Amino acid sequence: MSTGVTISSISDYAILGCGSVGYAVTEELVEQGKDVLIIDRDESRVESLRDQDLDARTADISEPETADFVTDRDVVLILASDVESNKQAVEHIRAVDDTQFVVARASDPVSGDELEEAGADIVINPSAVIAESALRALESGELEYNAGKLAQLVETTDERLAIVTQDSPDPDSIASAAALQAIASHLGVESDIIYLGDVGHQENRAFVNLLGIDLVQWDEIGDHAIYDTAAMVDHATSAEMDLDVDIVVDHHEPEVEYEPEFVDIRPNMSSTSTIMTKYIQEFDMNVSEEVATALLYGIRAETLDFKRDTTPADLTAAAYLYPFANHDTLEQVESPSMSPETLDVLAEAITNRDVQGSHLVSNAGLVRDREALTQAASHLLDLEGVTTTAVFGIADETIFLAGRSKDIRINIGKVLEDAYGEMGETAGHSTQASAEIPLGIFTGIQISEETRDTLLDLTEEAVKRTLFDAMGVDGSEGSNGS
């Protein structure tokens, strides 16, 4: 019986207490060619072990002389079901030799603490190990079941599968869609990755272009009826597309209630790319370099390179993808060239910055590319002493605002919701968020060439005051951070 665990180069072991747990460990060690000495107080059990050509001796592990039997062993595993005897064995061994590596069996957290205090290097609780193993088996079983259900649903597609991303898709949404498209292709189904808004952020455009991911704008599709199955990945709503949703995969709870045939929503994971990587593995596919690179970048983007809300599932998914990804492409995606528009917005935001404590708010004026606001907010977060930024600008009679924060005391998503939730639309979480507010709410003035400068002044004052209030700081004595 092999568990797949590889023991180190240490060769001398002692097992004290050879019940069911001790015997299972003994089997594994012997199979790997280790020299194992077994000590147990049950004479009939010891006799049975000797009949199997095992080195077994009869002794009470709670007695002091037992420690003398194991002085030549590098590792001692104390695995009896009687925790009090285990504790005494640890104490006796430590009284003789404090260099041996000692593993001891506990029955609960309290006895575990006692064994550690007695000198055990590692404490194991079989109940906890069994529970963890059961949960892993449950997760594996659920994934297998879900993969089968997903495959069955995708394969019912007669014409094409519509894979819907966020309106202005970010790397996680794009990568997740690319993964589902690869799964559909694996199942012999044609599909399109569809978005409603635009791919505005330069990093996202570089991401799509370098990896050759084909995205289709919804309004450019001549016949929407060709899609007889629809999936949403890392996305909130398909209301504006008038599609019946069959599949939803996300790491956030959707704002709109759906009743699709297939749902896999896991808020305990940091990215939808992590979820889709699990499906790629479950389908036992040959993941392409493009999809692997996209998924790895999607995970890294959502976790800020594993510095935010990272889970073990994210790390194991990234470890799986790493050998298949193109790391030169990743480097190019992360360092795209800056467009003149973004440079202008950043320059304007730097000039107009208003800093109060560690909070920075800036007006970038009239903007053509609103995605440039998010890049400006990210760049300004690198200023010394600044932990939270918000950059806003006006486009299409709307105030667009991008916020970023690395202050663990602030949830920038909640700040924007408190500030502008009743006026417009907000979205985001603790470290990054956005808001869209109709310009007229602040001014009531009709936009024209003559009133534009007045609007900018009034907007700047109103937005800053509201935002600083929501941050809990007095913005009346701000500076430009010089």
Side-chain angles (χ1 to χ4, degrees):
M1 178 199 69
S2 177
T3 62
V5 176
T6 302
I7 309 300
S8 71
S9 58
I10 295 172
S11 59
D12 297 324
Y13 293 81
I15 305 288
L16 275 59
C18 196
S20 59
V21 174
Y23 185 73
V25 174
T26 298
E27 274 194 310
E28 186 66 41
L29 290 172
V30 170
E31 189 170 321
Q32 296 193 25
K34 306 302 182 182
D35 181 8
V36 182
L37 168 65
I38 304 166
I39 296 177
D40 194 280
R41 66 183 179 185
D42 188 324
E43 291 186 11
S44 61
R45 182 180 294 159
V46 168
E47 198 63 38
S48 175
L49 292 168
R50 286 174 176 169
D51 289 342
Q52 299 175 56
D53 293 329
L54 296 172
D55 184 3
R57 304 179 192 180
T58 304
D60 187 339
I61 68 169
S62 65
E63 295 297 327
E65 57 266 23
T66 302
D68 296 329
F69 296 154
V70 299
T71 53
D72 62 336
R73 301 285 154 164
D74 296 312
V75 179
V76 181
L77 297 103
I78 306 170
L79 303 175
S81 57
D82 182 353
V83 177
E84 189 58 35
S85 294
N86 291 349
K87 180 181 174 184
Q88 291 173 338
V90 173
E91 291 172 345
H92 295 322
I93 288 169
R94 284 297 180 233
V96 175
D97 188 346
D98 62 358
T99 62
Q100 287 175 297
F101 191 78
V102 176
V103 178
R105 173 181 174 177
S107 59
D108 52 50
V110 174
S111 62
D113 291 341
E114 292 175 349
L115 286 164
E116 285 185 352
E117 290 174 8
D121 295 293
I122 298 290
V123 174
I124 59 172
N125 184 342
S127 298
V129 172
I130 291 170
E132 184 178 343
S133 179
L135 288 172
R136 283 200 303 267
L138 176 62
E139 181 182 355
S140 177
E142 285 182 333
L143 181 61
E144 182 180 356
Y145 172 79
N146 282 345
K149 189 176 178 181
L150 176 61
Q152 188 177 31
L153 186 56
V154 170
E155 287 174 334
T156 61
T157 304
D158 291 325
E159 294 193 50
R160 295 187 78 81
L161 166 68
I163 304 173
V164 184
T165 70
Q166 295 174 3
D167 290 351
S168 299
D170 65 8
D172 188 30
S173 187
I174 296 167
S176 301
L180 184 54
Q181 187 174 53
I183 290 171
S185 178
H186 176 71
L187 297 171
V189 173
E190 295 185 345
S191 62
D192 292 321
I193 301 175
I194 300 168
Y195 67 102
L196 186 63
D198 53 41
V199 185
H201 198 295
Q202 287 174 188
E203 200 168 300
N204 296 345
R205 289 197 294 267
F207 178 66
V208 170
N209 294 335
L210 286 169
L211 292 174
I213 300 173
D214 291 327
L215 273 66
V216 183
Q217 222 285 342
W218 177 250
D219 294 333
E220 295 177 1
I221 299 169
D223 182 11
H224 296 155
I226 62 173
Y227 301 109
D228 50 343
T229 308
M232 289 200 317
V233 288
D234 196 45
H235 185 48
T237 177
S238 67
E240 295 181 54
M241 291 186 175
D242 191 26
L243 281 173
D244 291 329
V245 179
D246 303 290
I247 298 166
V248 174
V249 183
D250 206 332
H251 70 115
H252 291 303
E253 293 287 350
E255 298 174 3
V256 180
E257 288 190 10
Y258 295 102
E259 294 184 359
E261 291 188 50
F262 180 87
V263 180
D264 191 350
I265 298 173
R266 306 193 208 181
N268 62 322
M269 292 192 180
S270 300
S271 72
T272 307
S273 293
T274 298
I275 301 172
M276 293 310 302
T277 300
K278 300 294 183 185
Y279 280 109
I280 290 283
Q281 292 175 281
E282 185 61 34
F283 280 106
D284 197 22
M285 297 165 47
N286 291 323
V287 60
S288 69
E289 181 179 273
E290 293 76 18
V291 171
T293 305
L295 287 169
L296 181 57
Y297 184 62
I299 296 170
R300 288 173 55 173
E302 284 297 292
T303 61
L304 292 182
D305 240 350
F306 309 108
K307 294 191 287 288
R308 177 186 71 197
D309 301 332
T310 307
T311 68
D314 302 315
L315 295 173
T316 55
Y320 166 76
L321 296 166
Y322 191 88
F324 305 112
N326 186 318
H327 298 279
D328 290 336
T329 299
L330 280 174
E331 187 174 344
Q332 291 180 66
V333 170
E334 291 169 339
S335 305
S337 57
M338 186 175 290
S339 70
E341 164 71 2
T342 300
L343 189 61
D344 290 342
V345 169
L346 179 58
E348 194 75 13
I350 292 172
T351 302
N352 296 332
R353 69 190 185 279
D354 190 348
V355 181
Q356 180 67 28
S358 62
H359 308 300
L360 180 152
V361 179
S362 185
N363 180 7
L366 299 171
V367 297
R368 293 188 301 276
D369 180 7
R370 67 193 192 206
E371 289 293 334
L373 298 172
T374 64
Q375 291 173 272
S378 296
H379 282 294
L380 290 173
L381 199 60
D382 293 330
L383 289 176
E384 184 178 356
V386 172
T387 62
T388 303
T389 63
V391 179
F392 63 93
I394 299 174
D396 301 325
E397 301 188 14
T398 302
I399 301 167
F400 294 95
L401 187 148
R404 294 289 184 271
S405 181
K406 57 185 178 183
D407 187 340
I408 61 173
R409 299 167 299 176
I410 283 186
N411 182 322
I412 191 64
K414 189 175 186 307
V415 167
L416 296 193
E417 172 64 25
D418 292 343
Y420 310 115
E422 295 182 0
M423 306 176 191
E425 297 181 5
T426 64
H429 43 68
S430 60
T431 59
Q432 60 185 52
S434 62
E436 296 181 18
I437 311 113
L439 186 58
I441 285 179
F442 278 108
T443 64
I445 300 175
Q446 187 73 25
I447 300 176
S448 67
E449 290 296 328
E450 292 76 20
T451 62
R452 195 172 296 272
D453 290 340
T454 301
L455 279 171
L456 289 174
D457 292 339
L458 291 172
T459 299
E460 180 172 25
E461 180 183 350
V463 172
K464 281 186 178 180
R465 184 176 63 250
T466 305
L467 191 51
F468 277 129
D469 285 346
M471 290 178 176
V473 297
D474 181 5
S476 60
E477 297 182 2
S479 70
N480 70 357
S482 301

